[in-house]
Amino acid sequence: MSMHPDCERVMLTEEQLRERVKEVALAVDKEYEGKRPLVVGILKGSIIFYSDFIRFLSMPVELDFMAVSSYGSGAVSSGKLKIKKDLDRDVSGRDVIIVEDIIDSGFTLANLKALLSERGAASVKIVTLLNKAERREYDVAPDYNCFDIENEFVVGYGLDYDEQYRHLPYIGILKRSVYEK
Ligand code: IMP
Ligand code: MG
C-alpha cells in the first residue's frame, strides 16, 4: 500500500503496531486477572488502538468513553480539563484502565487521572500507544506504553491533524509543510 503524500515517512507499520499492541494487551490482561475493569477510551484519537487492544483481552471488561479538551489555548489557559463527553458508568470502586493515543505534555492524562481518582475509582492505570517523553510538563507516566517516540508530529491509527488522517492504518510522520503554513 502506498503512503499518504502528506507523510514524510512511515514511523510504525501495521505489522509493528499489531505485534506490539498484542504484547501490551496480553500483559494488561495478565495484571487484571480475576477483575472486571472499566476500559475507558479517550475520543477520538484512541479509537483504533482501543478496538485492537480490547480484542486481545480475555478478562471480562466493560467499555466506556470520554471526550475531553483543554480550556482554550495559550495565554489564558485555566489549566482545567473540559469534559465534552462524560462516562456512562459510575467509576466509584472500579478498576479503571484509561486508553489514550499519545502522551505529549501530560496535561490531559494528569488531569484525567486525578479526576477519576477523585470520583472514587479503586485504581486508575494508563495505557498509551505512544509516549513523547521529551515533551512532558506534567507529572504523569503511562503504566503501559507501546512505543516511545521522538518529538515529531505523527498521524494515523487514530491520530489526526485538523481531523484528518485518522483512518491511515500506519503511524506516519506528517510533513512540516502541511502544518507550517
Ligand atoms: P497532552 O495533554 O499534551 O499530553 O496531549 C495529548 C493530546 O495531544 C493527544 O491526545 C493528542 O490529541 C494530541 N497530540 C499530541 N501529539 C500529537 C501528535 O504527534 N499527533 C497527533 N496528536 C497529538
Ligand atoms: Mg487526543
Side-chain angles (χ1 to χ4, degrees):
M1 197 191 59
S2 61
M3 188 181 64
H4 193 289
D6 290 352
C7 290
E8 190 176 292
R9 69 177 172 88
V10 173
M11 180 186 266
L12 297 164
T13 65
E14 288 187 68
E15 291 70 25
Q16 286 174 310
L17 289 163
R18 194 179 317 116
E19 263 179 44
R20 180 63 180 145
V21 170
K22 178 177 183 179
E23 196 172 54
V24 169
L26 295 182
V28 173
D29 199 46
K30 202 166 192 179
E31 178 181 337
Y32 286 84
E33 211 176 325
K35 294 184 172 166
R36 189 169 56 95
L38 187 66
V39 186
V40 173
I42 308 307
L43 299 172
K44 300 172 212 169
S46 76
I47 56 162
I48 302 192
F49 172 45
Y50 185 97
S51 61
D52 282 347
F53 172 78
I54 58 171
R55 283 181 287 173
F56 289 115
L57 304 176
S58 60
M59 60 186 168
V61 291
E62 284 177 55
L63 314 186
D64 210 339
F65 299 92
M66 266 181 115
V68 298
S69 65
S70 42
Y71 275 113
S73 55
V76 288
S77 174
S78 67
K80 275 272 182 182
L81 203 66
K82 179 182 175 185
I83 299 171
K84 295 195 287 186
K85 184 233 173 285
D86 209 336
L87 297 170
D88 295 332
R89 308 293 278 168
D90 182 359
V91 299
S92 67
R94 300 297 305 269
D95 294 303
V96 176
I97 301 172
I98 301 175
V99 178
E100 174 65 306
D101 53 359
I102 185 167
I103 312 191
D104 189 39
S105 72
F107 174 84
T108 307
L109 285 174
N111 280 281
L112 210 50
K113 197 172 176 181
L115 176 73
L116 299 182
S117 300
E118 251 169 58
R119 289 182 180 179
S123 68
V124 182
K125 290 211 174 179
I126 296 169
V127 178
T128 59
L129 178 69
L130 306 173
N131 181 34
K132 281 186 194 171
E134 196 194 310
R135 298 259 305 164
R136 197 65 26 83
E137 291 171 39
Y138 295 82
D139 185 24
V140 66
D143 297 284
Y144 293 90
N145 168 44
C146 297
F147 300 96
D148 280 306
I149 66 166
E150 301 291 305
N151 183 17
E152 311 245 35
F153 198 86
V154 292
V155 294
Y157 200 68
L159 290 102
D160 75 310
Y161 171 68
D162 199 17
E163 292 302 328
Q164 292 192 74
Y165 315 110
R166 291 194 196 275
H167 65 295
L168 301 179
Y170 50 85
I171 297 277
I173 299 176
L174 193 63
K175 282 180 181 164
R176 286 188 166 271
S177 58
V178 175
Y179 56 91
E180 285 181 353
K181 270 183 209 156

